[in-house]
């Protein structure tokens, strides 16, 4: 049942909907991974990395809402349920227990790298079918690349 009518063709709606759904899943998982690391980080750089992780969580949560609302606006129902996120996210699992600060930084470098790679693919895929969605994804990619840069600088 389509409650919201889209101005996109069926073909473009499918492509854009998949891009938005993938972005949503990656953003929800990124916020969960960053929070898990945030709660379990230990080591001499605890405070600075701990605070940096909260910035990633805030960015991911803000953008996940924007992405989900964009999907709804074009008639695609967003799915951020735990099972969906677990089954389709690009991010690897976080180890259980305490996480050394250097390991925490590497986890975030890897997670952000995976999400940014997929986000850039989505930016490219939405270029022609929906420049409005592409604009949303460009903003997401830019903000995540900034976080990726900062964590990479931490690991240098």
């Amino acid at each position: 049942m389509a409650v919201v009518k889209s101005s996109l063709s069926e073909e473009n709606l499918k492509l854009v909907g998949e891009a938005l759904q993938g972005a949503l899943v990656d953003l929800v998982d990124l916020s969960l991974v960053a929070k898990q690391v945030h709660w379990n980080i230990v080591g001499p750089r605890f405070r600075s990395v701990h605070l940096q992780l909260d910035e990633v969580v805030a960015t991911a949560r803000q953008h996940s809402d924007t992405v989900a609302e964009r999907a709804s606006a074009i008639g695609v129902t967003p799915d951020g349920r735990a099972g969906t996120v677990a089954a389709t996210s690009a991010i690897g699992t976080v180890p259980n227990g305490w996480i050394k600060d250097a390991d925490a930084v590497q986890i975030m470098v890897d997670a952000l790298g995976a999400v940014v790679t997929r986000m850039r693919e989505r930016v490219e895929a939405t270029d022609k079918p929906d420049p409005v969605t592409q604009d949303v994804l460009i903003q997401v990619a830019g903000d995540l690349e900034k976080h990726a840069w900062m964590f990479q600088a931490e690991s240098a």
Side-chain angles (χ1 to χ4, degrees):
M1 163 173 114
V3 175
V4 177
K5 303 289 185 219
S6 178
S7 59
L8 300 176
S9 70
E10 243 182 84
E11 178 183 344
N12 286 346
L13 184 61
K14 181 179 183 323
L15 191 145
V16 173
E18 288 171 358
L20 287 166
Q21 178 59 37
L24 175 62
V25 162
D26 285 349
L27 288 165
V28 169
D29 200 21
L30 182 63
S31 72
L32 294 171
V33 164
K35 205 46 136 162
Q36 183 67 23
V37 174
H38 168 90
W39 293 323
N40 291 287
I41 186 171
V42 294
R45 295 184 297 166
F46 164 81
R47 182 160 172 69
S48 63
V49 177
H50 183 80
L51 295 173
Q52 195 174 353
L53 288 161
D54 269 341
E55 293 172 10
V56 172
V57 171
T59 298
R61 286 179 179 169
Q62 175 188 351
H63 283 308
S64 65
D65 193 50
T66 301
V67 164
E69 288 178 357
R70 176 66 190 152
S72 294
I74 63 168
V76 174
T77 57
D79 185 356
R81 295 173 299 163
T84 302
V85 172
T88 58
S89 173
I91 303 172
T93 59
V94 176
N96 189 26
W98 301 117
I99 303 169
K100 292 279 196 184
D101 51 7
D103 295 335
V105 169
Q106 190 58 53
I107 289 167
M108 292 310 298
V109 166
D110 294 345
L112 285 160
V115 174
V116 166
T117 297
R118 286 182 24 150
M119 209 59 69
R120 283 190 158 273
E121 291 167 358
R122 294 176 187 118
V123 166
E124 191 173 316
T126 56
D127 175 34
K128 297 256 188 284
D130 188 18
V132 176
T133 294
Q134 183 192 41
D135 188 49
V136 169
L137 298 175
I138 287 169
Q139 183 64 51
V140 173
D143 287 349
L144 294 180
E145 285 179 343
K146 182 177 178 182
H147 288 298
W149 156 56
M150 291 183 175
F151 275 102
Q152 288 175 45
E154 281 275 343
S155 67

